[in-house]
Amino acid sequence: MLPQEAIRAKRDGEALDAATIGDLVAGIADDGLGDAQIGALAMAIFLNGMDATETVALTEAVRDSGDVLDWTALDLPGPVIDKHSTGGVGDVVSLILGPWIAACGGHVPMISGRGLGHTGGTLDKLESIPGYSVVPDTATFRRLVKDVGVAIIGQTADLAPADRRLYAVRDVTATVESLPLIVSSILGKKLACGLDALVMDVKVGSGAFMPTPEASRELAETIAEVASRAGTPTTALLTDMSQPLAPCAGNALEVREALAVLTGARRDGRLLEVTRGLAAEMLLAGGLATDRTAALGKLDERLASGEAAERFGRMVAGLGGPANLLEAPDRHLPSAPVRRLVLAPRAGHLRGMDTRALGMTVVELGGGRRQAGETIDPAVGLSDIAELGTKLDAGQPFATLHARSPAEADQAERQLLEAIEIGEATTSPTLIRDIIRREAP
Ligand code: URA
């Protein structure tokens, strides 16, 4: 079918068949379609949606538009499993989860991204480690996935190239917020990594990518359904993002926090609880545990024994970072010159946070990008962020700012004070709101 006829059919609300969707996506990848046609197609999908069968076909076509990683030649002793998150603030789960799963017998080829909007990016966090390369050669990547069990790197040009072009057009044609386009974009990239199973962390709350809890749930259910129908058994967790997940936000600060969890210096907290919940689902999905109790037992043992930390250290060293990061993080990770406590303006309970605004504060401090390609400052951010529900006296610190200058700290302090609500006591939001499991058909 001519592209314009397929676009017309979608414009008029018809469902497209898999062959037509395959041709359109191939045209996006090989320039057979012009930007105007891609924009019109995206808008037709945005306005009329796609049913589940179309969304599966779109996901498979995006996945197959470039290289699909194949691990069979490596004869790996365990399953290839991964996690993806819709992103948040203080979400440094991947740095703990990948090595932890590796210590339990899984293989995690994690292709991660950079910060987007108010959310932090795993690659930016890892690049605060001096020497760490997020673009290793393929042989190094495959060797680490086989020998260490985990490698966290950036996307290559050959992985799901149709998504890169389609996303760039969506970004400038007001068509980002479309469920089938979001699902196929996220899954097209992830499923191209040759996974046996996937776990998705879909965030809910004031720092989440989706605007409402209902929209987050719909995304989680659609992702689990579509990925499983595309052949990758997928579990989606709905997790809370109504406050930063870690008690800090900012690249090197979050790496320090991940190290504290991995080495056992921090044994509780929401970051550990969500990571443990996601990890248990990965072990179940990958067949590395028979039930949830066994999965949690195995995870606790491999964390306490130091094996997860050891895998992290090997991954960092294998990708060019310092061999003694775990033992001497302060020797390698940068610190900001200005530190300032932010004080509660009155007594009361910390009732609410505009988590998105906290993330934007980190961006404005220099920890994220205002424009694509900008250099970021790995040292800046927030730490010691009090949890929702904390009782504060007037003048008691509820966060510490890490800034490059007093003027930047002044501005960030004003923003932080506007982003919090102090009032009556409240209960902490449930951390793992739901788990949606889907087997491949
Ligand atoms: N993340 C993606 O990779 N794609 C989208 O469309 C939205 C979020």
Side-chain angles (χ1 to χ4, degrees), residues 175-200:
T175 51
V176 168
E177 305 93 339
S178 150
L179 195 64
L181 293 175
I182 293 170
V183 168
S184 56
S185 168
I186 291 176
L187 288 178
K189 292 185 286 261
K190 272 288 147 180
L191 303 192
C193 296
L195 307 177
D196 296 317
L198 174 68
V199 170
M200 266 303 298

Side-chain angles (χ1 to χ4, degrees), residues 42 163 166-176 178 181-182 185:
D163 177 63
L166 179 53
Y167 195 90
V169 172
R170 286 169 59 207
D171 204 19
V172 292
T173 54
T175 51
V176 168
S178 150
L181 293 175
I182 293 170
S185 168

Side-chain angles (χ1 to χ4, degrees), residues 296-319:
L296 293 172
K298 188 170 188 171
L299 285 163
D300 292 346
E301 184 216 313
R302 304 293 153 94
L303 189 65
S305 70
E307 278 178 82
E310 191 246 349
R311 301 281 172 150
F312 181 82
R314 284 169 65 196
M315 173 183 79
V316 167
L319 287 167

Side-chain angles (χ1 to χ4, degrees), residues 16-372:
L16 301 178
D17 62 33
T20 304
I21 291 172
D23 288 346
L24 289 167
V25 173
I28 295 172
D30 70 8
D31 289 345
L33 260 68
D35 281 355
Q37 289 175 310
I38 299 174
L41 177 66
M43 187 57 84
I45 295 172
F46 179 93
L47 293 173
N48 290 321
M50 278 185 144
D51 63 28
T53 303
E54 289 177 287
T55 311
V56 172
L58 184 60
T59 299
E60 290 176 337
V62 172
R63 176 194 67 194
D64 297 340
S65 66
D67 289 349
V68 177
L69 305 184
D70 184 355
W71 302 98
T72 43
L74 294 187
D75 204 14
L76 299 174
V80 179
I81 31 183
D82 197 5
K83 181 260 344 177
H84 184 71
S85 156
T86 55
V89 179
D91 178 3
V92 66
V93 162
S94 295
L95 270 60
I96 305 162
L97 182 73
W100 203 356
I101 294 296
C104 294
H107 295 267
V108 186
M110 196 181 281
I111 309 278
S112 293
R114 299 199 175 276
L116 194 66
H118 68 285
T119 65
T122 297
L123 293 189
D124 294 332
K125 294 170 203 185
L126 287 168
E127 281 187 342
S128 65
I129 302 171
Y132 190 106
S133 169
V134 298
V135 285
D137 56 62
T138 310
T140 304
F141 178 51
R142 290 173 74 81
R143 181 175 48 75
L144 289 173
V145 170
K146 182 174 168 56
D147 296 346
V148 181
V150 57
I152 309 179
I153 66 162
Q155 197 183 342
T156 65
D158 304 326
L159 208 82
D163 177 63
R164 198 162 320 112
R165 189 155 177 235
L166 179 53
Y167 195 90
V169 172
R170 286 169 59 207
D171 204 19
V172 292
T173 54
T175 51
V176 168
E177 305 93 339
S178 150
L179 195 64
L181 293 175
I182 293 170
V183 168
S184 56
S185 168
I186 291 176
L187 288 178
K189 292 185 286 261
K190 272 288 147 180
L191 303 192
C193 296
L195 307 177
D196 296 317
L198 174 68
V199 170
M200 266 303 298
D201 182 6
V202 179
K203 306 289 188 189
V204 187
S206 60
F209 166 67
M210 298 305 270
T212 62
E214 294 74 25
S216 291
R217 174 170 291 279
E218 194 182 5
L219 178 63
E221 285 176 352
T222 310
I223 281 182
E225 183 74 29
V226 168
S228 301
R229 282 181 59 179
T232 306
T234 293
T235 302
L237 280 77
L238 279 163
T239 70
D240 182 66
M241 188 41 72
S242 52
Q243 56 185 323
L245 185 56
C248 59
N251 296 293
L253 292 163
E254 290 183 50
V255 173
R256 280 195 177 82
E257 188 65 26
L259 292 175
V261 172
L262 282 165
T263 56
R266 189 176 303 272
R267 292 173 191 281
D268 56 13
R270 285 171 296 112
L271 172 62
L272 176 58
E273 194 180 330
V274 166
T275 309
R276 189 169 173 264
L278 289 163
E281 291 303 322
M282 286 174 78
L283 296 191
L284 288 173
L288 290 166
T290 45
D291 58 46
R292 201 172 155 74
T293 308
L296 293 172
K298 188 170 188 171
L299 285 163
D300 292 346
E301 184 216 313
R302 304 293 153 94
L303 189 65
S305 70
E307 278 178 82
E310 191 246 349
R311 301 281 172 150
F312 181 82
R314 284 169 65 196
M315 173 183 79
V316 167
L319 287 167
N324 63 345
L325 182 69
L326 286 160
E327 296 78 28
D330 288 332
R331 197 177 306 162
H332 301 290
L333 295 170
S335 304
V338 176
R339 272 188 200 205
R340 183 182 300 171
L341 300 178
V342 189
L343 311 179
R346 59 187 166 279
H349 289 82
L350 193 53
R351 273 186 66 77
M353 280 186 209
D354 180 345
T355 310
R356 187 177 185 284
L358 294 190
M360 289 315 292
T361 301
V362 177
V363 172
E364 288 191 38
L365 281 166
R369 294 175 189 81
R370 292 160 202 255
Q371 287 179 29

